[in-house]
Amino acid sequence: MANPKTSTIPLVSDDETNVIRIEDLRKSFGDHEVLRGVNANVKTGEVVCVIGPSGSGKSTLLRCINGLESITSGNIWLGGFNLSDEKVDLNEVRKHVGMVFQHFNLFPNMTVAENITLAPTQVKKYSQDRARTEALELLRRVGLEEKADARPASLSGGQKQRVAIARALAMNPEIMLFDEATSALDPEMVGEVLGVIRSLADEGMTMVLVTHEMGFAREVADRVAFIDAGVIQEYGPPEQIFSNPTSDRLKDFLSKVL
Ligand code: ADP
Ligand code: MG
């Protein structure tokens, strides 16, 4: 897959390995402390799956990583950008980070191609022609080239989510975040979306995925983070997390989901 470099400065220089560094991250909503001291690194090209019970802070963590939520205390570095620095340009940071949501969030009044070309034309100032050419290439990658001029409403859930992935990729992000990207899909459509995510992993994309697909996490993740009560309780290779869990919390969680 051709992945032309963006005009923005790359997140990491060649001698850095951790493209994401999270240090004692805390996030409160009012007096409810949702993230209570999260520490984690993600290496360039690594696929990290985040698992854990509902309400444990998984979505909040992802939203902090791309600056959708302000940080209460602690630090998140994306390459050389420190998100806790109030002078950081969040629009610049977000050019490097693509996000895919459970409910697709496509713009219903635009065609599939228009959904994909919007950010490149608005933010990167690409011409319509160039943005359209790249959109068609992205749609080919996710197997939906023939849907370029369709409206989102005419697509299945799996197709919508593949368009949402293409849209996120259109900004040439160096990091992709997925928040339960398959949870809203009918079971027969989960595979087609996981297939696209797997191909991104094979191409070396750095990814953080919140997922309930334990089989997928076991197969595709380089490391799995188990988060519970706002803290990463265990973080390691899938064999360790799934076959040798150490904490009672993780053992209990796995007994319910496996
Ligand atoms: P998960 O994704 O693991 O299910 P979330 O990160 O969505 O968990 O939520 C963790 C906790 O934070 C929940 O108790 C939720 O109600 C709370 N929370 C999340 N977002 C907000 C918000 N914008 N305002 C107030 N509370 C929130
Ligand atoms: Mg969530």
Side-chain angles (χ1 to χ4, degrees), residues 37 48 72 89 112 141 146 197 202 223 233 238 249 256:
V48 171
T72 304
D89 179 353
V112 163
R141 274 173 65 192
E146 77 288 358
I197 298 173
D202 292 343
R223 284 191 289 173
Q233 310 277 351
R249 281 170 188 269
K256 290 176 182 144

Side-chain angles (χ1 to χ4, degrees), residues 22-195:
I22 303 172
E23 191 183 85
D24 198 24
L25 170 64
R26 289 170 187 273
K27 172 66 186 175
S28 298
F29 295 104
D31 56 10
H32 181 193
E33 191 173 49
V34 172
L35 298 178
R36 301 186 304 116
V38 170
N39 292 283
N41 290 333
V42 179
K43 297 189 181 86
T44 307
E46 196 173 30
V47 178
V48 171
C49 286
V50 179
I51 63 171
S54 180
S56 57
K58 303 181 298 297
S59 295
T60 303
L61 175 60
L62 279 198
R63 292 167 59 79
C64 285
I65 293 174
N66 80 342
L68 283 173
E69 295 287 358
S70 64
I71 292 167
T72 304
S73 70
N75 291 293
I76 299 177
W77 282 275
L78 300 182
F81 294 99
N82 184 349
L83 296 193
S84 315
D85 180 348
E86 57 195 26
K87 292 193 292 294
V88 77
D89 179 353
L90 283 177
N91 288 324
E92 180 61 29
V93 172
R94 289 200 193 102
K95 290 179 190 171
H96 298 273
V97 186
M99 181 132 174
V100 175
F101 302 90
Q102 184 175 353
H103 293 293
F104 329 125
N105 300 5
L106 296 176
F107 305 113
N109 55 331
M110 295 181 184
T111 66
V112 163
E114 286 164 354
N115 266 274
I116 299 171
T117 58
L118 184 68
T121 54
Q122 301 282 307
V123 180
K124 290 204 282 186
K125 308 295 178 198
Y126 281 11
S127 69
Q128 285 293 343
D129 272 1
R130 178 176 178 186
R132 167 113 185 156
T133 302
E134 292 193 6
L136 292 177
E137 167 61 19
L138 287 165
L139 284 171
R140 196 185 59 72
R141 274 173 65 192
V142 300
L144 289 172
E145 206 174 6
E146 77 288 358
K147 296 293 186 187
D149 299 310
R151 297 269 165 183
S154 70
L155 305 181
S156 71
Q159 291 173 331
K160 283 180 193 160
Q161 195 59 300
R162 285 187 281 152
V163 171
I165 293 171
R167 182 177 61 177
L169 291 173
M171 291 296 284
N172 280 309
E174 289 147 284
I175 299 169
M176 286 283 284
L177 308 176
F178 293 82
D179 193 358
E180 297 196 28
T182 60
S183 294
L185 300 177
D186 291 333
E188 73 271 22
M189 292 169 191
V190 169
E192 67 195 60
V193 172
L194 293 182

Side-chain angles (χ1 to χ4, degrees), residues 19-20 41-50 174-178 194 196-211 216-225 235-238:
V19 66
I20 305 175
N41 290 333
V42 179
K43 297 189 181 86
T44 307
E46 196 173 30
V47 178
V48 171
C49 286
V50 179
E174 289 147 284
I175 299 169
M176 286 283 284
L177 308 176
F178 293 82
L194 293 182
V196 170
I197 298 173
R198 187 180 285 114
S199 70
L200 290 174
D202 292 343
E203 290 160 10
M205 178 69 80
T206 306
M207 296 195 280
V208 182
L209 304 105
V210 173
T211 185
F216 181 81
R218 189 171 199 136
E219 184 197 337
V220 176
D222 296 300
R223 284 191 289 173
V224 176
Y235 191 22

